[in-house]
Amino acid sequence: MTGFRRGRRIALDVGSVRVGVASCDPDGILATPLEVVRRDDDATAVSRIAALVAEQSALEIVAGRPRSLDGSDRAAVGAAEDFLRAVAAAVDVPIRLVDERFTTVQAHGVLQSAGRNSRQRREIVDAVAAVLILQAALDTEKSGGSPAGTPLDE
């Protein structure tokens, strides 16, 4: 067991249209939404994410890996990993992939209980999903002593 590594992390919920981005404090106490980056142009999106990683002085990026209910990779995983490889080439921090099953559904539930209508939810659901991915990764590392997920194979 290595214990919890102190430092900010960035989480990404990579979708085909938007990428939700979340970050946490250096002690990993609270994950918060940072922004939603549109993927109209992947080079611009990658550039914005690299800027956020630098601004936050992130220790690593934690990204959701799309999975089916049975645990197998979904079709979206290839496209998401291609985007993450482009991010990896633009940043100097490791990227770890964690299971993201149900995060978008959970994020919609959180926003609905907060009184957001469907249009308001659509604009920020990806950032809230990134918060859920990051919080789960932080909790896993704190309870198990090892980083969550697996490294992105470059």
Side-chain angles (χ1 to χ4, degrees):
M1 281 229 278
T2 58
F4 183 76
R5 299 163 301 141
R6 192 170 189 283
R8 291 185 191 278
R9 286 133 172 100
I10 294 279
L12 303 177
D13 179 46
V14 179
S16 58
V17 177
R18 292 177 292 275
V19 179
V21 185
S23 68
C24 67
D25 60 284
D27 294 316
I29 294 169
L30 186 63
T32 55
L34 205 50
E35 72 179 70
V36 175
V37 176
R38 292 201 54 83
R39 284 188 66 189
D40 300 327
D41 172 53
D42 276 357
T44 303
V46 166
S47 196
R48 178 62 189 143
I49 290 166
L52 290 168
V53 168
E55 286 168 20
Q56 297 287 316
S57 301
L59 168 75
E60 70 184 354
I61 295 171
V62 179
R65 168 181 268 158
R67 297 237 180 208
S68 298
L69 291 179
D70 67 3
S72 61
D73 286 343
R74 288 198 336 236
V77 77
E81 286 186 4
D82 288 345
F83 180 80
L84 290 170
R85 282 189 193 89
V87 172
V91 298
D92 198 22
V93 298
I95 297 178
R96 299 189 66 79
L97 299 176
V98 297
D99 188 347
E100 70 163 6
R101 281 178 284 185
F102 307 116
T103 54
T104 301
V105 172
Q106 288 173 319
H108 274 289
V110 165
L111 291 168
Q112 187 172 11
S113 24
R116 300 290 181 113
N117 67 35
S118 61
R119 180 176 163 75
Q120 292 169 322
R121 288 197 304 262
R122 192 171 39 251
E123 293 305 313
I124 60 170
V125 70
D126 302 294
V128 174
V131 167
L132 296 171
I133 290 167
L134 182 53
Q135 196 63 58
L138 293 168
D139 294 346
T140 296
E141 184 169 340
K142 285 183 173 183
S143 66
S146 297
T150 57
L152 172 69
D153 296 326
E154 293 182 8

